[in-house]
Amino acid sequence: PPRSTLFPYTTLFRSDGRRLILEYCAGGTLRSHMLSPLSLADILDLISDVLCGLAHAHQQGIVHCDIKPENILLSYSDGRWRAKISDFGIAKLLQADAANQPTTFMGTLAYSSPEQMDGRVLDSRSDIYSLGLMMYQMLTGSLPYWPSKNNFGGWYKAHTRSEERRVGKECRSRW
């Protein structure tokens, strides 16, 4: 007999009559799951999911430009949480003609790459930098650096002039 499969979705209605249909991710955002330490296995699975999603976006010529825990949604399937990248609202298409690519800053200061903060032309490496910051935070419970002032200039200095920070005791103590 025929089987039907139902997938949970949510629909956003716009005043102009258009609809945006999105998968409903019952797990909320990655940020909500980072409030308590994640297991190393969970971190590796979730980072792997995000890397696969970014690889697909980058193969299509899309740079997300705002990878952060709030833009990673989680759904539960096959016995584990699955990460899904959301909010491509400021994503940029990679363009062969760099002169036509917008170069103004948009993004989240704590997770932005130095080239993003400089307003330079972005490529996939900018998303990988942001993912690296997020992964460090998942492993240690904090970002690798924090600015002296929580403004653009403070974050710019943190991203471009920070000392190397070794992951050691703070990482091991979480497991």
mmCIF file with all atom_site columns, all heavy atoms in Angstrom, residues 21-33:
data_model
loop_
_atom_site.group_PDB
_atom_site.id
_atom_site.type_symbol
_atom_site.label_atom_id
_atom_site.label_alt_id
_atom_site.label_comp_id
_atom_site.label_asym_id
_atom_site.label_entity_id
_atom_site.label_seq_id
_atom_site.pdbx_PDB_ins_code
_atom_site.Cartn_x
_atom_site.Cartn_y
_atom_site.Cartn_z
_atom_site.occupancy
_atom_site.B_iso_or_equiv
_atom_site.pdbx_formal_charge
_atom_site.auth_seq_id
_atom_site.auth_comp_id
_atom_site.auth_asym_id
_atom_site.auth_atom_id
_atom_site.pdbx_PDB_model_num
ATOM 1  N N   . ILE A 1 21 ? 8.522  28.589 2.632  1.00 0.00 ? 21 ILE A N   1
ATOM 2  C CA  . ILE A 1 21 ? 8.296  27.337 3.364  1.00 0.00 ? 21 ILE A CA  1
ATOM 3  C C   . ILE A 1 21 ? 9.645  26.800 3.805  1.00 0.00 ? 21 ILE A C   1
ATOM 4  O O   . ILE A 1 21 ? 10.551 26.609 2.995  1.00 0.00 ? 21 ILE A O   1
ATOM 5  C CB  . ILE A 1 21 ? 7.552  26.317 2.489  1.00 0.00 ? 21 ILE A CB  1
ATOM 6  C CG1 . ILE A 1 21 ? 6.198  26.904 2.070  1.00 0.00 ? 21 ILE A CG1 1
ATOM 7  C CG2 . ILE A 1 21 ? 7.394  24.996 3.225  1.00 0.00 ? 21 ILE A CG2 1
ATOM 8  C CD1 . ILE A 1 21 ? 5.463  26.074 1.062  1.00 0.00 ? 21 ILE A CD1 1
ATOM 9  N N   . LEU A 1 22 ? 9.775  26.590 5.114  1.00 0.00 ? 22 LEU A N   1
ATOM 10 C CA  . LEU A 1 22 ? 11.024 26.150 5.696  1.00 0.00 ? 22 LEU A CA  1
ATOM 11 C C   . LEU A 1 22 ? 10.825 24.873 6.486  1.00 0.00 ? 22 LEU A C   1
ATOM 12 O O   . LEU A 1 22 ? 9.768  24.659 7.077  1.00 0.00 ? 22 LEU A O   1
ATOM 13 C CB  . LEU A 1 22 ? 11.555 27.225 6.673  1.00 0.00 ? 22 LEU A CB  1
ATOM 14 C CG  . LEU A 1 22 ? 11.724 28.629 6.120  1.00 0.00 ? 22 LEU A CG  1
ATOM 15 C CD1 . LEU A 1 22 ? 11.929 29.619 7.250  1.00 0.00 ? 22 LEU A CD1 1
ATOM 16 C CD2 . LEU A 1 22 ? 12.919 28.658 5.190  1.00 0.00 ? 22 LEU A CD2 1
ATOM 17 N N   . GLU A 1 23 ? 11.863 24.049 6.520  1.00 0.00 ? 23 GLU A N   1
ATOM 18 C CA  . GLU A 1 23 ? 11.815 22.866 7.373  1.00 0.00 ? 23 GLU A CA  1
ATOM 19 C C   . GLU A 1 23 ? 11.802 23.328 8.825  1.00 0.00 ? 23 GLU A C   1
ATOM 20 O O   . GLU A 1 23 ? 12.545 24.232 9.210  1.00 0.00 ? 23 GLU A O   1
ATOM 21 C CB  . GLU A 1 23 ? 13.028 21.985 7.122  1.00 0.00 ? 23 GLU A CB  1
ATOM 22 C CG  . GLU A 1 23 ? 13.071 20.771 8.004  1.00 0.00 ? 23 GLU A CG  1
ATOM 23 C CD  . GLU A 1 23 ? 14.293 19.899 7.781  1.00 0.00 ? 23 GLU A CD  1
ATOM 24 O OE1 . GLU A 1 23 ? 15.094 20.201 6.886  1.00 0.00 ? 23 GLU A OE1 1
ATOM 25 O OE2 . GLU A 1 23 ? 14.430 18.917 8.514  1.00 0.00 ? 23 GLU A OE2 1
ATOM 26 N N   . TYR A 1 24 ? 10.980 22.710 9.614  1.00 0.00 ? 24 TYR A N   1
ATOM 27 C CA  . TYR A 1 24 ? 10.955 23.010 11.044 1.00 0.00 ? 24 TYR A CA  1
ATOM 28 C C   . TYR A 1 24 ? 12.036 22.175 11.727 1.00 0.00 ? 24 TYR A C   1
ATOM 29 O O   . TYR A 1 24 ? 12.053 20.955 11.618 1.00 0.00 ? 24 TYR A O   1
ATOM 30 C CB  . TYR A 1 24 ? 9.582  22.692 11.650 1.00 0.00 ? 24 TYR A CB  1
ATOM 31 C CG  . TYR A 1 24 ? 9.556  22.872 13.143 1.00 0.00 ? 24 TYR A CG  1
ATOM 32 C CD1 . TYR A 1 24 ? 9.593  24.143 13.694 1.00 0.00 ? 24 TYR A CD1 1
ATOM 33 C CD2 . TYR A 1 24 ? 9.523  21.774 13.990 1.00 0.00 ? 24 TYR A CD2 1
ATOM 34 C CE1 . TYR A 1 24 ? 9.594  24.322 15.067 1.00 0.00 ? 24 TYR A CE1 1
ATOM 35 C CE2 . TYR A 1 24 ? 9.515  21.937 15.363 1.00 0.00 ? 24 TYR A CE2 1
ATOM 36 C CZ  . TYR A 1 24 ? 9.549  23.212 15.895 1.00 0.00 ? 24 TYR A CZ  1
ATOM 37 O OH  . TYR A 1 24 ? 9.558  23.388 17.251 1.00 0.00 ? 24 TYR A OH  1
ATOM 38 N N   . CYS A 1 25 ? 12.956 22.833 12.397 1.00 0.00 ? 25 CYS A N   1
ATOM 39 C CA  . CYS A 1 25 ? 14.050 22.149 13.094 1.00 0.00 ? 25 CYS A CA  1
ATOM 40 C C   . CYS A 1 25 ? 13.787 22.226 14.590 1.00 0.00 ? 25 CYS A C   1
ATOM 41 O O   . CYS A 1 25 ? 14.038 23.244 15.230 1.00 0.00 ? 25 CYS A O   1
ATOM 42 C CB  . CYS A 1 25 ? 15.389 22.787 12.730 1.00 0.00 ? 25 CYS A CB  1
ATOM 43 S SG  . CYS A 1 25 ? 15.828 22.550 10.998 1.00 0.00 ? 25 CYS A SG  1
ATOM 44 N N   . ALA A 1 26 ? 13.276 21.131 15.132 1.00 0.00 ? 26 ALA A N   1
ATOM 45 C CA  . ALA A 1 26 ? 12.829 21.087 16.522 1.00 0.00 ? 26 ALA A CA  1
ATOM 46 C C   . ALA A 1 26 ? 13.946 21.307 17.528 1.00 0.00 ? 26 ALA A C   1
ATOM 47 O O   . ALA A 1 26 ? 13.688 21.681 18.672 1.00 0.00 ? 26 ALA A O   1
ATOM 48 C CB  . ALA A 1 26 ? 12.148 19.744 16.811 1.00 0.00 ? 26 ALA A CB  1
ATOM 49 N N   . GLY A 1 27 ? 15.208 21.121 17.127 1.00 0.00 ? 27 GLY A N   1
ATOM 50 C CA  . GLY A 1 27 ? 16.326 21.276 18.050 1.00 0.00 ? 27 GLY A CA  1
ATOM 51 C C   . GLY A 1 27 ? 16.743 22.708 18.294 1.00 0.00 ? 27 GLY A C   1
ATOM 52 O O   . GLY A 1 27 ? 17.626 22.964 19.099 1.00 0.00 ? 27 GLY A O   1
ATOM 53 N N   . GLY A 1 28 ? 16.117 23.645 17.593 1.00 0.00 ? 28 GLY A N   1
ATOM 54 C CA  . GLY A 1 28 ? 16.507 25.044 17.763 1.00 0.00 ? 28 GLY A CA  1
ATOM 55 C C   . GLY A 1 28 ? 17.866 25.306 17.146 1.00 0.00 ? 28 GLY A C   1
ATOM 56 O O   . GLY A 1 28 ? 18.274 24.657 16.188 1.00 0.00 ? 28 GLY A O   1
ATOM 57 N N   . THR A 1 29 ? 18.597 26.254 17.737 1.00 0.00 ? 29 THR A N   1
ATOM 58 C CA  . THR A 1 29 ? 19.897 26.615 17.193 1.00 0.00 ? 29 THR A CA  1
ATOM 59 C C   . THR A 1 29 ? 21.019 25.890 17.919 1.00 0.00 ? 29 THR A C   1
ATOM 60 O O   . THR A 1 29 ? 20.847 25.416 19.041 1.00 0.00 ? 29 THR A O   1
ATOM 61 C CB  . THR A 1 29 ? 20.158 28.128 17.315 1.00 0.00 ? 29 THR A CB  1
ATOM 62 O OG1 . THR A 1 29 ? 20.296 28.458 18.703 1.00 0.00 ? 29 THR A OG1 1
ATOM 63 C CG2 . THR A 1 29 ? 19.048 28.945 16.666 1.00 0.00 ? 29 THR A CG2 1
ATOM 64 N N   . LEU A 1 30 ? 22.161 25.840 17.285 1.00 0.00 ? 30 LEU A N   1
ATOM 65 C CA  . LEU A 1 30 ? 23.340 25.261 17.916 1.00 0.00 ? 30 LEU A CA  1
ATOM 66 C C   . LEU A 1 30 ? 23.671 26.014 19.202 1.00 0.00 ? 30 LEU A C   1
ATOM 67 O O   . LEU A 1 30 ? 24.104 25.417 20.179 1.00 0.00 ? 30 LEU A O   1
ATOM 68 C CB  . LEU A 1 30 ? 24.523 25.296 16.948 1.00 0.00 ? 30 LEU A CB  1
ATOM 69 C CG  . LEU A 1 30 ? 25.851 24.784 17.482 1.00 0.00 ? 30 LEU A CG  1
ATOM 70 C CD1 . LEU A 1 30 ? 25.741 23.340 17.963 1.00 0.00 ? 30 LEU A CD1 1
ATOM 71 C CD2 . LEU A 1 30 ? 26.924 24.910 16.416 1.00 0.00 ? 30 LEU A CD2 1
ATOM 72 N N   . ARG A 1 31 ? 23.459 27.323 19.222 1.00 0.00 ? 31 ARG A N   1
ATOM 73 C CA  . ARG A 1 31 ? 23.753 28.123 20.418 1.00 0.00 ? 31 ARG A CA  1
ATOM 74 C C   . ARG A 1 31 ? 23.046 27.542 21.648 1.00 0.00 ? 31 ARG A C   1
ATOM 75 O O   . ARG A 1 31 ? 23.642 27.422 22.708 1.00 0.00 ? 31 ARG A O   1
ATOM 76 C CB  . ARG A 1 31 ? 23.336 29.582 20.208 1.00 0.00 ? 31 ARG A CB  1
ATOM 77 C CG  . ARG A 1 31 ? 23.404 30.453 21.451 1.00 0.00 ? 31 ARG A CG  1
ATOM 78 C CD  . ARG A 1 31 ? 24.797 30.763 21.930 1.00 0.00 ? 31 ARG A CD  1
ATOM 79 N NE  . ARG A 1 31 ? 25.429 31.647 20.986 1.00 0.00 ? 31 ARG A NE  1
ATOM 80 C CZ  . ARG A 1 31 ? 26.738 31.693 20.782 1.00 0.00 ? 31 ARG A CZ  1
ATOM 81 N NH1 . ARG A 1 31 ? 27.550 30.917 21.454 1.00 0.00 ? 31 ARG A NH1 1
ATOM 82 N NH2 . ARG A 1 31 ? 27.248 32.505 19.891 1.00 0.00 ? 31 ARG A NH2 1
ATOM 83 N N   . SER A 1 32 ? 21.779 27.147 21.501 1.00 0.00 ? 32 SER A N   1
ATOM 84 C CA  . SER A 1 32 ? 21.045 26.614 22.647 1.00 0.00 ? 32 SER A CA  1
ATOM 85 C C   . SER A 1 32 ? 21.650 25.306 23.142 1.00 0.00 ? 32 SER A C   1
ATOM 86 O O   . SER A 1 32 ? 21.591 25.001 24.329 1.00 0.00 ? 32 SER A O   1
ATOM 87 C CB  . SER A 1 32 ? 19.559 26.437 22.316 1.00 0.00 ? 32 SER A CB  1
ATOM 88 O OG  . SER A 1 32 ? 19.389 25.459 21.310 1.00 0.00 ? 32 SER A OG  1
ATOM 89 N N   . HIS A 1 33 ? 22.279 24.542 22.256 1.00 0.00 ? 33 HIS A N   1
ATOM 90 C CA  . HIS A 1 33 ? 22.907 23.276 22.645 1.00 0.00 ? 33 HIS A CA  1
ATOM 91 C C   . HIS A 1 33 ? 24.298 23.496 23.234 1.00 0.00 ? 33 HIS A C   1
ATOM 92 O O   . HIS A 1 33 ? 24.839 22.615 23.890 1.00 0.00 ? 33 HIS A O   1
ATOM 93 C CB  . HIS A 1 33 ? 22.988 22.318 21.460 1.00 0.00 ? 33 HIS A CB  1
ATOM 94 C CG  . HIS A 1 33 ? 21.651 21.768 21.086 1.00 0.00 ? 33 HIS A CG  1
ATOM 95 N ND1 . HIS A 1 33 ? 21.270 20.486 21.387 1.00 0.00 ? 33 HIS A ND1 1
ATOM 96 C CD2 . HIS A 1 33 ? 20.593 22.336 20.460 1.00 0.00 ? 33 HIS A CD2 1
ATOM 97 C CE1 . HIS A 1 33 ? 20.035 20.289 20.953 1.00 0.00 ? 33 HIS A CE1 1
ATOM 98 N NE2 . HIS A 1 33 ? 19.607 21.397 20.387 1.00 0.00 ? 33 HIS A NE2 1
#
